[in-house]
Amino acid sequence: MTEAYIVDAVRTPIGKKNGGLSGVHPADLGAHVIKAIVNRTGIDPAGVDDVVFGCVDAIGGQAGNIARTAWLAAGYPEEVPGVTVDRQCGSSQQAVHFGAQAILSGTADLILAGGVQNMSQIPIASAMMVGQQYGFDTPFGGSTGWVERYGDQEVSQFRGAELIADKWDISREELERWALQSHERARTAIAEGRFDREIVPFGEVTTDEGPRETSLEKMASLKTLTEGGRLTAAVASQISDGASTVLLASAEAVERYGLTPRARIHHLSARGADPIFMLSAPIPATRYALEKTGLSIDDIDLVEINEAFAPVVLAWIKEIGADPAKVNVNGGAIALGHPLGATGTKLMATLLNELERTGGRYGLQTICEGGGTANATIIERL
C-alpha cells in the first residue's frame, strides 16, 4: 500500500510584530528552514520533486512564487521547482496535503511542504489594500453573483468570530480564560524545552517571542473590538513572522535515502461552511475526517486547532465533544502567534513532537480559513 510519510518537521522561532525576525526577507526565512531540514535529514537536494509553500498576501518580498525564491535563496539546484499555495490561514497545511497527494498518487517521492510569512513587513490584507488602487474596495463588492447570494454585508474574520461567540453562547469570560490558558501552556512548554527539537534558531532569535504573563484582570480591562461585542485583542491570534517546513517521503524515498519516518499521513481533507461566519469550518471538517477514517474523537490523542480567535476553538470543542485537555496542550496562536502562511506546518511540527513526547498515536490538526473553509489532517506516529 502506498504511504506518505513525515520524515521531519522544523520551524523558526515565531517572531512577534516588529520583533527579532521583522527585518528578515521572507525568502531568507524560507531558505533558513529549507536548509535546516535538508541538513538534518541528509537528503540529496537534487532528489526533491517539488517545494510547495504556503503564503498569504503574496506581494513585495513574498511575490513571484516565494517557494521557488526561498529554495534558490537556500542555494539548492535550479532544476527543482517550487509552487506557492494560498488557502489563507491553512496555506501550509494545504501544502502538506498537495505534497502528500502527489506521493500517494505515485507521481512524486520527496516533497518539501511548508510556508513563510513576514507580517511585520507585509501586513495582513496588504493584497487587498493594493487592490484598492484598481477600484476594488473588497474582494466581494462588484461581484454580481456574490451580492445576489450574500448581499453587501460585512465579511471579515472579526465579524465571523463575534458571530460564532454569539451562536454558541460563549461568554467574554470563557474566551479570556481560554486565552489565559494558552499563554500559561505556552510558557510552560518553552520552559520545559518542548519546542527545542522543532525550532531552528535564526541568529539571536532562539525562542518564540509571543507568550507573555497576563491575567484575567488585565484582559477584562481591554476594550472590545466592536461596541457591545465580546472579543478583545487578548482573545485573538498575534501578528507574527516565521517559516516552517515538513519533509514528506514515499516508501521508495525512505529506502533510497535511508530515512527514518516519524509519522505517516493517515487522512487529509478539506471542507467548507458559511463564508460569513468564516471561521466555523473546522467543525464540519473534523466530522468529515472522523467519518472517513472510522475514528472517534476519543481515538485522537492530541489536537492542534489554530487559535485564530478563542471562540473558534471553544465552539469546536462544544460541537465535537473533544476533551479540552487534549487541545492545544502547548498553547496556541493567541500566545505563540500566527504567521499566516507558515502556521500549518508550524502546528504540524508541534503536533508531531508532542505525540512523540507523550506516546500518543493519532494527532488531528485543523485550521479555519478565509472564505469559510478548513483543512483537517490526521497523522499517526510511528
Side-chain angles (χ1 to χ4, degrees):
M1 179 180 178
T2 304
E3 298 282 7
Y5 294 107
I6 298 174
V7 177
D8 208 352
V10 300
R11 65 179 180 90
T12 65
I14 302 305
K16 65 183 180 181
K17 182 180 179 181
N18 299 324
L21 299 180
S22 61
V24 183
H25 193 286
D28 293 327
L29 282 175
H32 187 68
V33 292
I34 288 172
K35 287 188 285 188
I37 206 164
V38 168
N39 291 337
R40 279 174 45 154
T41 58
I43 61 167
D44 177 3
V48 174
D49 291 299
D50 209 350
V51 180
V52 188
F53 258 44
C55 189
V56 185
D57 292 313
I59 63 173
Q62 294 173 171
N65 190 359
I66 189 67
R68 172 71 170 164
T69 309
W71 176 261
L72 296 177
Y76 291 135
E78 292 178 344
E79 61 265 29
V80 175
V83 63
T84 302
V85 176
D86 180 356
R87 201 195 276 271
Q88 300 291 280
C89 298
S91 294
S92 56
Q93 187 173 357
Q94 183 61 51
V96 170
H97 285 204
F98 283 151
Q101 287 164 343
I103 289 170
L104 292 169
S105 73
T107 58
D109 289 301
L110 212 55
I111 300 284
L112 273 180
V116 62
Q117 201 84 30
N118 190 317
M119 299 177 74
S120 296
Q121 292 181 7
I122 302 173
I124 188 171
S126 288
M128 191 59 246
M129 287 184 268
V130 170
Q132 289 174 353
Q133 65 182 296
Y134 299 108
F136 294 92
D137 292 328
T138 74
F140 318 102
S143 165
T144 301
W146 178 276
V147 173
E148 285 178 350
R149 186 167 187 178
Y150 297 107
D152 59 359
Q153 61 185 307
E154 177 189 348
V155 183
S156 75
Q157 58 180 330
F158 306 106
R159 183 181 181 215
E162 287 283 7
L163 289 171
I164 290 169
D166 183 60
K167 179 177 179 178
W168 277 274
D169 192 24
I170 305 168
S171 69
R172 175 173 174 172
E173 182 180 0
E174 288 178 279
L175 299 175
E176 291 172 352
R177 286 190 180 280
W178 184 268
L180 178 63
Q181 176 182 263
S182 184
H183 283 282
E184 290 173 341
R185 286 178 169 181
R187 293 201 315 273
T188 297
I190 291 170
E192 294 183 356
R194 296 187 191 179
F195 300 136
D196 289 355
R197 187 176 181 186
E198 67 201 57
I199 286 181
V200 182
F202 195 110
E204 296 181 358
V205 184
T206 61
T207 191
D208 298 313
E209 296 179 335
R212 58 185 180 271
E213 291 191 21
T214 186
S215 67
L216 293 176
E217 290 73 25
K218 288 180 181 178
M219 292 182 185
S221 70
L222 298 177
K223 290 184 178 180
T224 55
L225 300 179
T226 58
E227 186 70 30
R230 311 181 195 195
L231 301 182
T232 69
V235 302
S237 56
Q238 295 186 36
I239 294 170
S240 311
D241 311 319
S244 57
T245 191
V246 169
L247 177 63
L248 302 169
S250 67
E252 182 181 337
V254 165
E255 183 176 354
R256 184 190 317 156
Y257 293 105
L259 304 173
T260 302
R262 297 171 63 188
R264 73 177 186 91
I265 302 293
H266 184 72
H267 172 82
L268 46 82
S269 58
R271 307 303 292 168
D274 187 335
I276 306 303
F277 274 76
M278 190 179 293
L279 312 176
S280 61
I283 295 168
T286 299
R287 286 177 173 152
Y288 182 81
L290 294 175
E291 179 184 353
K292 293 289 284 186
T293 58
L295 297 172
S296 74
I297 193 61
D298 293 332
D299 294 318
I300 303 298
D301 297 293
L302 291 169
V303 175
E304 287 289 335
I305 173 172
N306 190 42
E307 291 176 355
F309 294 87
V312 174
V313 183
L314 293 176
W316 178 90
I317 288 172
K318 283 188 174 185
E319 285 290 324
I320 301 300
D323 179 356
K326 295 181 178 180
V327 179
N328 298 358
V329 298
N330 292 323
I334 290 171
L336 292 161
H338 177 22
L340 304 177
T343 293
T345 39
K346 170 198 175 291
L347 294 185
M348 194 155 290
T350 299
L351 182 59
L352 175 62
N353 281 288
E354 190 63 16
L355 282 172
E356 291 177 338
R357 189 185 75 85
T358 59
R361 181 180 180 184
Y362 290 116
L364 167 70
Q365 178 179 315
T366 186
I367 296 180
C368 59
E369 302 153 350
T373 66
N375 285 70
T377 314
I378 298 174
I379 65 172
E380 181 181 13
R381 180 183 64 85
L382 298 177

